[in-house]
Amino acid sequence: MSGAQEIDVAKLARMRAARYRKLVLAGRVGTLVFIVGAWQLLTDYKIIDPFFAGSPLGIIERLADWFTHGTAYGSFWYQIWVTMEESLLGFFAGVTAGVFFGVLLGEIPLLSDILTPYIKVVNALPRIVLGSIFVIWLGLGLPSKVMLAAVLVFFVVFFNAYQGVKSVDRNLVNHARILGASRLEVVWHVVVPSATSWIIASLHVALGFSIIGAIVGEFLGAQHGLGLVIATAQNNFDTDGVFGAMLIIGIIAISAEGLMAMAEKRLLAWRPARASENEAGGI
Amino acid sequence: MSKPTSGGDIVLAGVTKRFVTPTGQAMTAIRDVNLKIGAGKFCAIVGPTGCGKSTTLTLTSGLDTPSAGTVHVGGRQVDGITPGVGFVFQHDALLPWKPVIANVALGPQLRGASKTEARAQAREWLATVGLSGFEEHYPHQLSGGMRKRVQLAATLINNPSLLMMDEPFSALDVQTRAIMTNELMRLWEQSRPSVMFVTHDLEEAIAIADQVVVMTVGPATVKDVFEIDLPRPRGQIQDIRFDARFLELYKMIWTSLREEVERSYAMAAARKAGDK
Ligand SMILES: Nc1ncnc2c1ncn2[C@@H]1O[C@H](COP(=O)(O)OP(=O)(O)OP(=O)(O)O)[C@@H](O)[C@H]1O
Ligand SMILES: [Mg+2]
């Protein structure tokens, strides 16, 4: 009696879910079309000033021009590459240092008690201004941007790694100790894996920060990169150019986010369901 | 599996443990515990809930140090993790990010076995606890009873000469429990570790132990120690319950334990009344 009914119910639910997904997709496309269309029309009819607001077609033209003819400081692809390189290097340097010091201070309370006030002070500073120092110290090239990105990333990852270490289940630590684990082995087999979900939660914010660090670093002084492209467009009152570069940065950020979601899925395969870790943030 | 080892004797002398509670007050978990367990003996510990049984095991295993008194194992004073100790914790202690096989292989690996060697051993132990085919499952994909069995395998694989078991079978259903208990007794007869076995099941305690220790309500101390003179091997623990001597012992120990359990409830009731 119920077999056929159950199949019907399951089928119905699936159909309903599929229909809902289509509706959401249509809504999204519609929203995009509406905003872009309205933007284009409003600027076409000069209801809003295209000089200030730019326009979708203008942005596309500007990007096409950049991609085909390059910018004043080399091909557009190269500018994209430079910014990505700076962000990635900064990201990895910041994450490595953040995890290392987070675990170190989490494991050695004396050290963390000594350093806590200093870390708080540095954390309270608007770290973005460090960019100026780094440009003075390290010059207009890649290192100053990498450094700024790394510093921004470091604090986010550091605080989360530290929290993660602090919230390790003592029972698991005891279990490993009984099995014969040394202090370092406890850190490797228990503390780091258990802090991983905390660390990974911070990586999303950190990734955004690494891009911010690179771009701001380029604003402050650079010879290449998307930040420089934006700064130049700004000086020329080239609104389309600013929006165009922004669009590219957005695409980079979203792709990186996608890659990270994949990595996260692999690293946290053991977890039953998504847990919501807190994210420490702030520039 | 490595060679059988026989455990040393366990001597607790005047052991007291105080904790600082979250509110900052000191609370005594156990006070002046004196206990002798012969080498290779099986000692069951019973007592009202929250009295300090787990704490006693923690101190014996060297995970924590007593506030006063000393613990000796095999003539050596405990200072740091006691060598050769195995501990089946009351609460889940499997590493959730490692599959079952890696969890069980962890012990030998930490003691220097190669990965393939450790895994081969782990596979054998998983078969012993009836979990062949679950090697690649993560702990959260197992039932509570299955996790407990993995825990058992992960502990016993190190061939401990001193075995702390904190309510190891409480999550198991009656049938699995009987099977695991018989299996534990078989393994114990083989390598004769000294065992401290906490349980709330008095029948289980009498059926398997050489000695049953009754602890008082918290702060706990040793109230009575009963030697269980039932001959070994005792055979199936399901059958021994009808033995006349078993019933006699049961009555005696239950009388002693019941007092403490009743006092524990009375105290809880009084606390509750005080809170109001
Ligand atoms: N780390 C700790 N900090 C503070 N108090 C603790 C700590 N560990 C145990 N206690 C306290 O010590 C007492 C004894 O705890 P213990 O876990 O040894 O009891 P138990 O006899 O094993 O109980 P159960 O049978 O319920 O497992 C309890 O009142 C508990 O609150
Ligand atoms: Mg307990």
Side-chain angles (χ1 to χ4, degrees):
Chain A
M1 37 137 234
S2 67
Q5 274 174 7
E6 266 170 33
I7 291 169
D8 281 353
V9 169
K11 210 159 133 195
L12 217 67
R14 255 202 313 280
M15 273 164 59
R16 205 172 296 146
R19 209 177 314 137
Y20 181 74
R21 271 198 304 276
K22 274 186 201 141
L23 187 68
V24 170
L25 192 68
R28 285 176 185 168
V29 173
T31 310
L32 182 73
V33 169
F34 176 76
I35 290 176
V36 173
W39 188 359
Q40 185 64 47
L41 287 176
L42 288 174
T43 47
D44 273 353
Y45 290 101
K46 303 275 190 278
I47 299 169
I48 52 177
D49 191 345
F51 181 77
F52 290 116
S55 76
L57 280 178
I59 292 170
I60 291 169
E61 271 169 32
R62 165 94 358 280
L63 282 177
D65 180 47
W66 275 342
F67 276 117
T68 47
H69 302 116
T71 62
Y73 8 85
S75 89
F76 194 55
W77 287 110
Y78 182 65
Q79 314 309 318
I80 295 177
W81 164 244
V82 167
T83 301
M84 278 174 66
E85 192 183 13
E86 291 161 354
S87 310
L88 280 179
L89 288 175
F91 179 76
F92 284 113
V95 168
T96 310
V99 169
F100 179 78
F101 284 103
V103 171
L104 192 72
L105 265 66
E107 274 294 297
I108 308 176
L110 177 67
L111 199 62
S112 80
D113 285 339
I114 293 173
L115 294 180
T116 296
Y118 301 105
I119 292 169
K120 283 203 172 133
V121 167
V122 178
N123 187 39
L125 285 176
R127 287 187 295 284
I128 217 86
V129 301
L130 287 174
S132 302
I133 303 281
F134 293 149
V135 170
I136 295 174
W137 286 349
L138 302 168
L140 294 179
L142 176 124
S144 58
K145 285 74 186 174
V146 173
M147 194 70 188
L148 183 59
V151 167
L152 295 187
V153 168
F154 172 82
F155 281 93
V156 186
V157 176
F158 168 80
F159 284 117
N160 265 50
Y162 180 78
Q163 265 318 313
V165 170
K166 283 290 173 197
S167 55
V168 166
D169 184 349
R170 298 318 297 172
N171 216 26
L172 300 188
V173 173
N174 283 345
H175 174 62
R177 284 176 65 201
I178 288 281
L179 290 183
S182 66
R183 181 103 188 248
L184 266 181
E185 284 168 332
V186 168
V187 169
W188 178 247
H189 285 286
V190 182
V191 175
V192 170
S194 126
T196 299
S197 49
W198 285 77
I199 295 169
I200 285 187
S202 74
L203 293 190
H204 292 278
V205 181
L207 190 68
F209 276 12
S210 73
I211 297 175
I212 292 175
I215 302 273
V216 170
E218 288 164 359
F219 275 162
L220 296 173
Q223 285 151 339
H224 296 288
L226 289 172
L228 180 62
V229 171
I230 293 181
T232 314
Q234 176 199 327
N235 291 338
N236 297 335
F237 292 99
D238 175 7
T239 319
D240 286 335
V242 175
F243 278 128
M246 241 167 74
L247 184 66
I248 298 295
I249 294 168
I251 290 171
I252 294 175
I254 285 180
S255 332
E257 185 72 25
L259 284 179
M260 192 134 85
M262 271 159 62
E264 177 177 358
K265 218 170 173 179
R266 277 192 66 122
L267 272 170
L268 297 181
W270 56 270
R271 284 212 300 199
R274 236 169 342 125
S276 54
E277 273 84 24
N278 291 325
E279 295 176 358
I283 302 179
Chain B
M1 274 169 257
S2 44
K3 64 175 176 11
T5 43
S6 177
D9 58 332
I10 304 167
V11 182
L12 284 80
V15 173
T16 298
K17 180 69 189 176
R18 288 183 211 95
F19 287 111
V20 180
T21 60
T23 50
Q25 290 154 324
M27 73 86 67
T28 310
I30 56 174
R31 70 186 146 89
D32 196 26
V33 169
N34 294 293
L35 186 59
K36 272 200 181 73
I37 301 166
K41 292 287 175 192
F42 200 115
C43 169
I45 300 175
V46 294
T49 176
C51 73
K53 303 181 294 296
S54 298
T55 306
T56 309
L57 298 203
T58 312
L59 297 177
T60 312
S61 66
L63 280 171
D64 208 346
T65 48
S67 312
T70 56
V71 182
H72 283 84
V73 174
R76 256 184 85 249
Q77 182 163 351
V78 170
D79 171 29
I81 304 292
T82 313
V85 70
F87 203 139
V88 181
F89 290 93
Q90 183 172 8
H91 303 289
D92 237 346
L94 295 174
L95 304 180
W97 44 85
K98 281 190 199 288
V100 165
I101 182 89
N103 259 296
V104 179
L106 184 61
Q109 238 177 310
L110 287 172
R111 284 162 195 238
S114 76
K115 194 167 170 178
T116 34
E117 209 178 293
R119 295 228 159 186
Q121 274 185 47
R123 235 171 270 281
E124 266 174 53
W125 272 102
L126 281 174
T128 306
V129 297
L131 284 176
S132 291
F134 289 92
E135 283 85 357
E136 299 306 327
H137 282 59
Y138 285 101
H140 77 86
Q141 294 166 323
L142 302 181
S143 73
M146 287 156 104
R147 278 204 291 274
K148 208 79 212 194
R149 275 140 72 194
V150 176
Q151 185 92 47
L152 218 55
T155 301
L156 294 178
I157 196 172
N158 269 350
N159 208 4
S161 57
L162 178 69
L163 185 54
M164 309 280 112
M165 303 186 91
D166 201 346
E167 303 185 31
F169 299 147
S170 56
L172 304 183
D173 62 280
V174 182
Q175 290 82 18
T176 316
R177 190 175 181 141
I179 295 170
M180 293 305 298
T181 311
N182 290 332
E183 187 61 26
L184 173 68
M185 291 327 286
R186 190 179 66 76
L187 292 166
W188 176 71
E189 307 265 6
Q190 270 175 20
S191 58
R192 294 303 292 253
S194 314
V195 183
M196 286 171 91
F197 186 102
V198 172
T199 177
H200 282 290
D201 183 343
L202 192 50
E203 268 189 8
E204 179 179 65
I206 300 170
I208 60 181
D210 295 309
Q211 168 178 36
V212 174
V213 174
V214 178
M215 296 190 87
T216 64
V217 283
T221 187
V222 173
K223 184 181 184 193
D224 285 312
V225 178
F226 297 90
E227 297 299 325
I228 308 299
D229 48 12
L230 298 168
R232 285 190 192 274
R234 294 185 188 157
Q236 299 284 313
I237 80 149
Q238 304 82 304
D239 302 332
I240 200 167
R241 290 183 294 189
F242 306 111
D243 189 290
R245 177 67 186 146
F246 180 97
L247 292 170
E248 206 178 317
L249 285 162
Y250 187 92
K251 269 196 200 114
M252 243 160 53
I253 304 175
W254 174 235
T255 313
S256 168
L257 178 60
R258 191 172 64 188
E259 254 176 47
E260 296 308 317
V261 173
E262 277 165 1
R263 274 176 60 199
S264 146
Y265 278 114
M267 277 166 66
R271 258 202 306 277
K272 206 169 162 193
D275 284 347
K276 277 184 187 158

